[in-house]
Amino acid sequence: MSEIYKTDALIAENIDAYLETHQHKTMLRFITCGSVDDGKSTLIGRLLYDSKMIFEDQLATLEADSKRVGTQGEAIDFALLVDGLAAEREQGITIDVAYRYFSTEKRKFIVADTPGHEQYTRNMVTGASTADLAVILIDARKGVLTQTRRHSYLAHLLGIRHLVLAVNKMDLVGYDRAVFDQLVADYRAFAESISITGFTPVPISGLAGDNITTRSDQTPWYDGPVLLEHLETVELDQSANQHKPFRMPVQWVNRPNLDFRGFSGTIAAGQLRPGDDIRVLPSGKTSRISRIVTHGGDLEVAVAGQAVTLCFEDEIDCSRGQVITAAKAPVEVADQFEASIIWMDEEELVPGRAYWLKVGPQTVSATVAQPKYQINVNTMEHLAAKTLDLNAIGVANITTDRDIPFTAYEESRDLGGFILIDKMTNRTVGAGLIHFALRRAQNIHWQSTDIGRAHHASLKNQKPMVLWMTGLSGSGKSTIANIVEMKLARMNRHTFLLDGDNVRHGLNKDLGFTDADRVENIRRVGEVAKLMTDAGLIVITAFISPFRSEREMVRGMMQPGEFMEIFIDTPLEEAEARDVKGLYAKARAGQLKNFTGIDSPYEPPEAPQIRIDTTRMTPDQAADLIIEKLIP
């Protein structure tokens, strides 16, 4: 029995030693990318198979699936280990981003198999955003393709500094060294044009296993590392962030009871010790660290990558989305910056439209200006662009509704990378990388005045308000707005009427009727209306304003309770029957493009404060209803 106990103790000791070694292995996140059918999924399947990361039941299923839906006859189709979606298996391509985990004696790995189709570039961006290394696959028969260039450029743009050029399917070109050398030369010429300073070329066959985990006899002329060897030994920059100034975005204010208040998050850069001076941005308040709390107990030092809760010596304001930094090396704070944008939605970017911008745990409202240029990934040319469509990459200025703390993306992915979200649908429509703050963001400041909006309103003895009338052309907006203003004038109210046609004679005479122009039209009118409410006026507007997002943008400019959305609800056939200006007839004849209701959409309000049915109510009755709501 004692021998059994000794054996059990020895086994337990070995297991503990293994777990201890495994726990301290470094982690490499990498992606495989390239064009369609270059063999990305097969390569990952081969890595999983050769590293003994497939259970017996998985192997049995793989063998059965390979015979049923595989592309290799009776042989194992390694791509099926990764291509999990039914649509992918049927087509033999990757659509979604597939993440797989495996480990060797030297390192742990998380690999993302990203899709090759151009319409799924957004999925590739998702996988690349957290990767340390990219394996760019090239089919030895096809060479450097458009998607090879696109994915290489995106990997470089997203900060991936370690690239492997895997020239795949060498078995189909007879393991010809001349083919390999020519492809490497072609890729090097492209890589240098986009400032990629180095990459590691490897000739492989994912299907046959050549130079994947062991050196192949088929390529005696190749003396470089095999793929897995390179993945195991490539030097990571995990410690580089620890030597930068301290930064930590606050993800959660931790208040388990009245006696404890801490600020939780993952350290993005630097090191921190109790007693260190810190600054909270954007407020700029300073304090000192009293404790660094973790689940396993307090720490004497915390470094980049660790999740911690920080306690301050002083009771200063700090909330989710703010950034805790070293007191003497704070990050920048601004509300305007230049950024690269990767557009990821089928509906094109609308310059001037308000989107949600999420950087780290912070979400703010932001508008994107007309792009400065779009990038042609084949030639790296800077092309003129009024907007960005699906998978386009461009550079534009962005304005947020308030100051946010940030760094350039090249300094920190966490504080320099962001996503754009459509406010109406909550779809992620774009990803961006901050370059720098605009000079005007630092040099132009709001000038406070002694006489404020409350004083202006009290002089007029009224509450400032925006009466925002929206509806189709010919619905009766201008008629009703004019009557409302006349009735308010008789009540000695101070008003101003902004009419859609009138502002296009002056303020907005430079704008057309594209979606982007309509958005800018409403943005300018909203800014004017805001200034008028600051002057204490009741502002009456009559604009088609076809998009819900822009009406909500204007609502967001105003003080709470000072924006009233009034839907002049006239059916299209009724508005067209009136056609007092002859516009519908021109639109139907094709003489008037981008006309709302005909070839440009109108998004009716979902919950207007007032709805006016002009088929059942006269303009005078409508005006009375609005005034009754305004002044009970």
Side-chain angles (χ1 to χ4, degrees), residues 99-115:
Y99 292 92
R100 292 294 182 268
Y101 168 85
F102 70 99
S103 71
T104 65
E105 292 183 0
K106 297 181 179 179
R107 181 170 277 174
K108 296 180 286 187
F109 302 93
I110 295 178
V111 54
D113 179 27
T114 61

PDB file of all heavy atoms in Angstrom, residues 99-115:
ATOM      1  N   TYR A  99     -12.345  30.971 -33.607  1.00  0.00           N
ATOM      2  CA  TYR A  99     -11.232  31.009 -32.653  1.00  0.00           C
ATOM      3  C   TYR A  99     -10.956  29.591 -32.153  1.00  0.00           C
ATOM      4  O   TYR A  99     -11.876  28.849 -31.813  1.00  0.00           O
ATOM      5  CB  TYR A  99     -11.567  31.912 -31.463  1.00  0.00           C
ATOM      6  CG  TYR A  99     -11.674  33.375 -31.811  1.00  0.00           C
ATOM      7  CD1 TYR A  99     -12.894  33.936 -32.154  1.00  0.00           C
ATOM      8  CD2 TYR A  99     -10.557  34.198 -31.819  1.00  0.00           C
ATOM      9  CE1 TYR A  99     -13.004  35.284 -32.482  1.00  0.00           C
ATOM     10  CE2 TYR A  99     -10.653  35.538 -32.144  1.00  0.00           C
ATOM     11  CZ  TYR A  99     -11.877  36.078 -32.474  1.00  0.00           C
ATOM     12  OH  TYR A  99     -11.979  37.412 -32.797  1.00  0.00           O
ATOM     13  N   ARG A 100      -9.689  29.219 -32.091  1.00  0.00           N
ATOM     14  CA  ARG A 100      -9.304  27.909 -31.576  1.00  0.00           C
ATOM     15  C   ARG A 100      -8.124  28.074 -30.609  1.00  0.00           C
ATOM     16  O   ARG A 100      -7.288  28.963 -30.777  1.00  0.00           O
ATOM     17  CB  ARG A 100      -8.906  26.967 -32.715  1.00  0.00           C
ATOM     18  CG  ARG A 100     -10.064  26.564 -33.615  1.00  0.00           C
ATOM     19  CD  ARG A 100     -11.097  25.719 -32.883  1.00  0.00           C
ATOM     20  NE  ARG A 100     -12.171  25.302 -33.763  1.00  0.00           N
ATOM     21  CZ  ARG A 100     -13.301  25.962 -33.942  1.00  0.00           C
ATOM     22  NH1 ARG A 100     -13.489  27.117 -33.315  1.00  0.00           N
ATOM     23  NH2 ARG A 100     -14.237  25.501 -34.749  1.00  0.00           N
ATOM     24  N   TYR A 101      -8.091  27.198 -29.609  1.00  0.00           N
ATOM     25  CA  TYR A 101      -7.032  27.226 -28.601  1.00  0.00           C
ATOM     26  C   TYR A 101      -6.208  25.957 -28.720  1.00  0.00           C
ATOM     27  O   TYR A 101      -6.752  24.870 -28.913  1.00  0.00           O
ATOM     28  CB  TYR A 101      -7.643  27.318 -27.209  1.00  0.00           C
ATOM     29  CG  TYR A 101      -6.651  27.054 -26.098  1.00  0.00           C
ATOM     30  CD1 TYR A 101      -5.844  28.075 -25.594  1.00  0.00           C
ATOM     31  CD2 TYR A 101      -6.492  25.777 -25.563  1.00  0.00           C
ATOM     32  CE1 TYR A 101      -4.914  27.836 -24.594  1.00  0.00           C
ATOM     33  CE2 TYR A 101      -5.575  25.527 -24.557  1.00  0.00           C
ATOM     34  CZ  TYR A 101      -4.790  26.561 -24.074  1.00  0.00           C
ATOM     35  OH  TYR A 101      -3.869  26.318 -23.085  1.00  0.00           O
ATOM     36  N   PHE A 102      -4.891  26.086 -28.617  1.00  0.00           N
ATOM     37  CA  PHE A 102      -4.026  24.912 -28.501  1.00  0.00           C
ATOM     38  C   PHE A 102      -2.751  25.333 -27.793  1.00  0.00           C
ATOM     39  O   PHE A 102      -2.484  26.532 -27.589  1.00  0.00           O
ATOM     40  CB  PHE A 102      -3.737  24.275 -29.865  1.00  0.00           C
ATOM     41  CG  PHE A 102      -2.858  25.080 -30.777  1.00  0.00           C
ATOM     42  CD1 PHE A 102      -1.497  24.801 -30.894  1.00  0.00           C
ATOM     43  CD2 PHE A 102      -3.384  26.110 -31.547  1.00  0.00           C
ATOM     44  CE1 PHE A 102      -0.686  25.529 -31.752  1.00  0.00           C
ATOM     45  CE2 PHE A 102      -2.584  26.848 -32.414  1.00  0.00           C
ATOM     46  CZ  PHE A 102      -1.229  26.553 -32.509  1.00  0.00           C
ATOM     47  N   SER A 103      -1.978  24.348 -27.372  1.00  0.00           N
ATOM     48  CA  SER A 103      -0.723  24.662 -26.673  1.00  0.00           C
ATOM     49  C   SER A 103       0.325  23.612 -27.000  1.00  0.00           C
ATOM     50  O   SER A 103       0.003  22.485 -27.400  1.00  0.00           O
ATOM     51  CB  SER A 103      -0.943  24.737 -25.157  1.00  0.00           C
ATOM     52  OG  SER A 103      -1.192  23.452 -24.620  1.00  0.00           O
ATOM     53  N   THR A 104       1.576  24.026 -26.839  1.00  0.00           N
ATOM     54  CA  THR A 104       2.709  23.116 -26.962  1.00  0.00           C
ATOM     55  C   THR A 104       3.489  23.188 -25.652  1.00  0.00           C
ATOM     56  O   THR A 104       3.086  23.863 -24.710  1.00  0.00           O
ATOM     57  CB  THR A 104       3.603  23.528 -28.144  1.00  0.00           C
ATOM     58  OG1 THR A 104       4.174  24.823 -27.864  1.00  0.00           O
ATOM     59  CG2 THR A 104       2.791  23.610 -29.433  1.00  0.00           C
ATOM     60  N   GLU A 105       4.591  22.509 -25.602  1.00  0.00           N
ATOM     61  CA  GLU A 105       5.393  22.542 -24.388  1.00  0.00           C
ATOM     62  C   GLU A 105       5.953  23.927 -24.106  1.00  0.00           C
ATOM     63  O   GLU A 105       6.252  24.271 -22.965  1.00  0.00           O
ATOM     64  CB  GLU A 105       6.542  21.532 -24.489  1.00  0.00           C
ATOM     65  CG  GLU A 105       6.089  20.074 -24.484  1.00  0.00           C
ATOM     66  CD  GLU A 105       7.275  19.119 -24.511  1.00  0.00           C
ATOM     67  OE1 GLU A 105       8.429  19.624 -24.534  1.00  0.00           O
ATOM     68  OE2 GLU A 105       7.059  17.903 -24.495  1.00  0.00           O
ATOM     69  N   LYS A 106       6.067  24.768 -25.128  1.00  0.00           N
ATOM     70  CA  LYS A 106       6.719  26.062 -24.963  1.00  0.00           C
ATOM     71  C   LYS A 106       5.756  27.235 -24.838  1.00  0.00           C
ATOM     72  O   LYS A 106       6.101  28.256 -24.247  1.00  0.00           O
ATOM     73  CB  LYS A 106       7.664  26.320 -26.140  1.00  0.00           C
ATOM     74  CG  LYS A 106       8.807  25.317 -26.233  1.00  0.00           C
ATOM     75  CD  LYS A 106       9.715  25.645 -27.404  1.00  0.00           C
ATOM     76  CE  LYS A 106      10.876  24.666 -27.488  1.00  0.00           C
ATOM     77  NZ  LYS A 106      11.776  24.960 -28.642  1.00  0.00           N
ATOM     78  N   ARG A 107       4.547  27.128 -25.405  1.00  0.00           N
ATOM     79  CA  ARG A 107       3.691  28.313 -25.456  1.00  0.00           C
ATOM     80  C   ARG A 107       2.225  27.908 -25.628  1.00  0.00           C
ATOM     81  O   ARG A 107       1.922  26.838 -26.152  1.00  0.00           O
ATOM     82  CB  ARG A 107       4.152  29.219 -26.610  1.00  0.00           C
ATOM     83  CG  ARG A 107       3.389  30.493 -26.773  1.00  0.00           C
ATOM     84  CD  ARG A 107       4.098  31.407 -27.781  1.00  0.00           C
ATOM     85  NE  ARG A 107       5.177  32.176 -27.163  1.00  0.00           N
ATOM     86  CZ  ARG A 107       6.024  32.953 -27.820  1.00  0.00           C
ATOM     87  NH1 ARG A 107       5.944  33.054 -29.138  1.00  0.00           N
ATOM     88  NH2 ARG A 107       6.959  33.639 -27.186  1.00  0.00           N
ATOM     89  N   LYS A 108       1.319  28.815 -25.192  1.00  0.00           N
ATOM     90  CA  LYS A 108      -0.115  28.662 -25.439  1.00  0.00           C
ATOM     91  C   LYS A 108      -0.502  29.568 -26.607  1.00  0.00           C
ATOM     92  O   LYS A 108       0.109  30.620 -26.811  1.00  0.00           O
ATOM     93  CB  LYS A 108      -0.916  29.047 -24.189  1.00  0.00           C
ATOM     94  CG  LYS A 108      -0.656  28.140 -22.993  1.00  0.00           C
ATOM     95  CD  LYS A 108      -1.463  28.560 -21.781  1.00  0.00           C
ATOM     96  CE  LYS A 108      -0.911  29.814 -21.134  1.00  0.00           C
ATOM     97  NZ  LYS A 108      -1.582  30.141 -19.853  1.00  0.00           N
ATOM     98  N   PHE A 109      -1.540  29.139 -27.331  1.00  0.00           N
ATOM     99  CA  PHE A 109      -1.937  29.877 -28.535  1.00  0.00           C
ATOM    100  C   PHE A 109      -3.448  30.054 -28.596  1.00  0.00           C
ATOM    101  O   PHE A 109      -4.211  29.154 -28.222  1.00  0.00           O
ATOM    102  CB  PHE A 109      -1.497  29.137 -29.807  1.00  0.00           C
ATOM    103  CG  PHE A 109      -0.024  28.891 -29.898  1.00  0.00           C
ATOM    104  CD1 PHE A 109       0.525  27.702 -29.428  1.00  0.00           C
ATOM    105  CD2 PHE A 109       0.826  29.837 -30.456  1.00  0.00           C
ATOM    106  CE1 PHE A 109       1.886  27.466 -29.523  1.00  0.00           C
ATOM    107  CE2 PHE A 109       2.189  29.609 -30.545  1.00  0.00           C
ATOM    108  CZ  PHE A 109       2.728  28.425 -30.078  1.00  0.00           C
ATOM    109  N   ILE A 110      -3.873  31.224 -29.066  1.00  0.00           N
ATOM    110  CA  ILE A 110      -5.253  31.436 -29.508  1.00  0.00           C
ATOM    111  C   ILE A 110      -5.165  31.905 -30.949  1.00  0.00           C
ATOM    112  O   ILE A 110      -4.534  32.925 -31.253  1.00  0.00           O
ATOM    113  CB  ILE A 110      -5.986  32.487 -28.655  1.00  0.00           C
ATOM    114  CG1 ILE A 110      -6.149  31.992 -27.211  1.00  0.00           C
ATOM    115  CG2 ILE A 110      -7.364  32.794 -29.250  1.00  0.00           C
ATOM    116  CD1 ILE A 110      -6.813  32.997 -26.292  1.00  0.00           C
ATOM    117  N   VAL A 111      -5.778  31.140 -31.854  1.00  0.00           N
ATOM    118  CA  VAL A 111      -5.688  31.460 -33.277  1.00  0.00           C
ATOM    119  C   VAL A 111      -7.073  31.804 -33.796  1.00  0.00           C
ATOM    120  O   VAL A 111      -8.059  31.152 -33.459  1.00  0.00           O
ATOM    121  CB  VAL A 111      -5.068  30.283 -34.069  1.00  0.00           C
ATOM    122  CG1 VAL A 111      -5.821  28.984 -33.820  1.00  0.00           C
ATOM    123  CG2 VAL A 111      -5.058  30.600 -35.564  1.00  0.00           C
ATOM    124  N   ALA A 112      -7.142  32.847 -34.610  1.00  0.00           N
ATOM    125  CA  ALA A 112      -8.392  33.264 -35.246  1.00  0.00           C
ATOM    126  C   ALA A 112      -8.288  32.991 -36.731  1.00  0.00           C
ATOM    127  O   ALA A 112      -7.396  33.518 -37.405  1.00  0.00           O
ATOM    128  CB  ALA A 112      -8.656  34.746 -34.990  1.00  0.00           C
ATOM    129  N   ASP A 113      -9.194  32.142 -37.238  1.00  0.00           N
ATOM    130  CA  ASP A 113      -9.265  31.886 -38.669  1.00  0.00           C
ATOM    131  C   ASP A 113     -10.220  32.902 -39.262  1.00  0.00           C
ATOM    132  O   ASP A 113     -11.420  32.865 -39.007  1.00  0.00           O
ATOM    133  CB  ASP A 113      -9.772  30.462 -38.914  1.00  0.00           C
ATOM    134  CG  ASP A 113      -9.896  30.155 -40.400  1.00  0.00           C
ATOM    135  OD1 ASP A 113      -9.159  30.765 -41.191  1.00  0.00           O
ATOM    136  OD2 ASP A 113     -10.746  29.318 -40.764  1.00  0.00           O
ATOM    137  N   THR A 114      -9.698  33.851 -40.018  1.00  0.00           N
ATOM    138  CA  THR A 114     -10.523  34.960 -40.520  1.00  0.00           C
ATOM    139  C   THR A 114     -10.915  34.717 -41.972  1.00  0.00           C
ATOM    140  O   THR A 114     -10.175  34.085 -42.725  1.00  0.00           O
ATOM    141  CB  THR A 114      -9.776  36.303 -40.406  1.00  0.00           C
ATOM    142  OG1 THR A 114      -8.591  36.247 -41.190  1.00  0.00           O
ATOM    143  CG2 THR A 114      -9.422  36.579 -38.967  1.00  0.00           C
ATOM    144  N   PRO A 115     -12.097  35.210 -42.374  1.00  0.00           N
ATOM    145  CA  PRO A 115     -12.608  34.920 -43.718  1.00  0.00           C
ATOM    146  C   PRO A 115     -11.832  35.634 -44.813  1.00  0.00           C
ATOM    147  O   PRO A 115     -11.307  36.724 -44.625  1.00  0.00           O
ATOM    148  CB  PRO A 115     -14.056  35.427 -43.655  1.00  0.00           C
ATOM    149  CG  PRO A 115     -14.053  36.459 -42.579  1.00  0.00           C
ATOM    150  CD  PRO A 115     -13.039  36.010 -41.578  1.00  0.00           C
TER     151      PRO A 115
END
